[in-house]
Amino acid sequence: YEEDEAAMQIGDALYILSAGHLMSTPHAVRTNNVPDNVMRTTFVSFMDTRPKQIIKPANGEKVEEVLKKDASR
């Protein structure tokens, strides 16, 4: 990444709401071959729905259909 760029991990809720267009990513940190002048800074912010809130894709697909698409990739 360039100096003025950032990377963000998309969570599963946004994956479902976008009908699989925005992929959620497993968390992984790699430190191999990092130059001494590069540092990693982490800012964590967890946002979630209310515990009983039902989320579903905005395009009307069923959650199961989205998850099937993910399994076939």
Side-chain angles (χ1 to χ4, degrees), residues 18-48:
S18 72
H21 294 285
L22 300 173
M23 299 293 295
S24 55
T25 6
H27 181 71
V29 176
R30 298 176 190 213
T31 59
N32 299 348
N33 303 320
V34 177
D36 290 337
N37 64 342
V38 174
M39 74 176 198
R40 179 178 185 266
T41 303
T42 302
F43 170 77
V44 179
S45 176
F46 293 99
M47 292 175 250
D48 203 349

Side-chain angles (χ1 to χ4, degrees), residues 9-25 46-50 53-58 63 66-67:
Q9 291 188 353
I10 302 297
D12 291 340
L14 194 52
Y15 167 73
I16 291 169
L17 291 170
S18 72
H21 294 285
L22 300 173
M23 299 293 295
S24 55
T25 6
F46 293 99
M47 292 175 250
D48 203 349
T49 58
R50 288 170 282 185
Q53 178 72 38
I54 297 173
I55 61 170
K56 57 187 177 183
V63 172
V66 174
L67 298 176

